[in-house]
């Protein structure tokens, strides 16, 4: 089944403790992206990647890092999480620029 | 600065009638627009898109209209079905960076049986 898989689905962590949310797609898509969803703010793009080793900042990149060492994986790294990063995170991929993204099921992160 | 705006947080429609969801944008560089549907506890699902070279695109019960001069687009669902009840997001991107997609805040549609 073609899909984008994120792990974990739920995560509660403490301020300052580094964490990684993994994302993997099995569709051989070139493009991948991370979004966060917050009430009243919709979906905001954190980072995106056009191919292996090619990434760029979205609208809200502060406090996040990404890497794209393999085509299928695009992990989101929070080096020192803070409570304002409590949010619902989505990873997405698409086969070409402009095509609709396929989204993962989301990761609900709580930073206390 | 919200470049893509969905001013109606919610909308209720009777089953069988038309649902019209609206979206406005401010960035004149946007030339590709998409609609996504999202059910609770799931990721958004791509629904339909339109390029700025068109003013209408249809896919079954879903039609998107684009008015470039007004920087406005709308999604029409006809006829509306209870399974259409979801949050709908409008999104936009610009040529030269189609992978950078800006989303609106969403409209929650409730279709009443």
């Amino acid at each position: 089944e073609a899909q984008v898989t994120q792990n974990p689905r739920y995560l509660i962590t403490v301020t300052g403790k580094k964490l990684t949310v993994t994302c993997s797609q099995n569709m051989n898509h070139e493009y991948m992206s991370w979004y966060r969803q917050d009430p009243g703010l919709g979906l905001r793009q954190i980072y995106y990647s056009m191919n292996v080793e090619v990434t760029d900042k979205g609208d809200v990149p502060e406090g996040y890092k990404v890497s794209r060492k393999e085509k299928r994986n695009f992990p989101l790294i929070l080096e020192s999480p803070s409570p304002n990063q409590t949010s619902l995170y989505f990873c997405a991929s698409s086969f070409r620029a402009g095509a609709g993204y396929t989204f993962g099921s989301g990761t609900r992160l709580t930073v206390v | 600065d919200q470049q893509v705006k969905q001013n109606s947080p919610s909308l209720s429609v009777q089953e069988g009638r038309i649902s019209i969801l609206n979206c406005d944008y401010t960035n004149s560089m946007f030339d590709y627009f998409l609609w996504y549907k999202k059910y609770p506890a799931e990721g958004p699902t791509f629904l339909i898109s339109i390029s700025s070279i068109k003013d209408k695109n249809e896919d079954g019960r879903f039609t998107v209209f684009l008015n470039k001069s007004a920087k406005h687009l709308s999604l029409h669902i006809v006829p509306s079905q209870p399974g259409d009840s979801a949050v709908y997001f409008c999104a936009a991107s610009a040529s030269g960076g189609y992978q950078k997609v800006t989303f609106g805040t969403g409209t929650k549609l409730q279709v009443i049986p």
Side-chain angles (χ1 to χ4, degrees):
Chain A
E1 182 188 351
Q3 60 185 356
V4 176
T5 303
Q6 296 177 228
N7 281 297
R9 288 294 306 272
Y10 301 91
L11 178 61
I12 301 175
T13 190
V14 296
T15 299
K17 185 176 181 182
K18 180 179 179 179
L19 67 93
T20 299
V21 183
T22 64
C23 174
S24 179
Q25 49 95 3
N26 62 0
M27 296 166 282
N28 202 36
H29 283 173
E30 302 276 331
Y31 301 91
M32 297 188 75
S33 186
W34 275 101
Y35 282 86
R36 61 179 286 176
Q37 183 185 6
D38 301 289
L41 297 175
L43 289 151
R44 293 180 294 168
Q45 195 171 35
I46 303 170
Y47 270 95
Y48 57 93
S49 169
M50 292 75 80
N51 211 327
V52 175
E53 302 291 4
V54 183
T55 63
D56 206 349
K57 296 176 181 178
D59 294 317
V60 289
E62 296 79 19
Y64 304 96
K65 283 177 58 177
V66 293
S67 69
R68 188 96 182 270
K69 293 183 168 49
E70 306 165 279
K71 197 172 187 179
R72 63 182 292 129
N73 295 323
F74 191 44
L76 179 69
I77 303 155
L78 284 73
E79 296 267 3
S80 183
S82 62
N84 65 12
Q85 292 179 297
T86 292
S87 187
L88 178 57
Y89 291 86
F90 290 102
C91 180
S93 71
S94 71
F95 67 95
R96 63 172 172 81
Y101 275 118
T102 299
F103 280 81
S105 298
T107 296
R108 185 165 291 282
L109 172 66
T110 302
V111 184
V112 298
Chain B
D1 174 28
Q2 194 73 29
Q3 297 185 66
V4 178
K5 302 177 185 179
Q6 294 177 258
N7 292 319
S8 298
S10 62
L11 175 68
S12 289
V13 171
Q14 289 285 337
E15 180 180 3
R17 307 294 281 265
I18 184 171
S19 294
I20 300 176
L21 295 99
N22 293 304
C23 178
D24 297 295
Y25 60 97
T26 57
N27 187 340
S28 58
M29 299 300 291
F30 287 149
D31 59 2
Y32 195 76
F33 305 90
L34 311 95
W35 284 93
Y36 287 81
K37 177 170 72 173
K38 185 183 181 302
Y39 294 119
E42 295 183 13
T45 302
F46 169 68
L47 206 51
I48 192 169
S49 63
I50 187 167
S51 163
S52 61
I53 62 173
K54 294 185 174 182
D55 53 19
K56 176 182 173 182
N57 189 26
E58 280 182 85
D59 184 0
R61 296 185 298 113
F62 302 91
T63 302
V64 56
F65 294 92
L66 175 62
N67 182 333
K68 291 183 287 294
S69 60
K71 293 192 178 68
H72 176 83
L73 63 155
S74 60
L75 175 68
H76 292 209
I77 306 173
V78 184
S80 300
Q81 301 172 353
D84 296 328
S85 296
V87 176
Y88 289 78
F89 290 99
C90 169
S93 61
S95 56
Y98 284 130
Q99 60 278 5
K100 191 175 190 307
V101 181
T102 301
F103 280 74
T105 53
T107 296
K108 185 175 184 178
L109 173 65
Q110 182 184 20
V111 180
I112 303 164

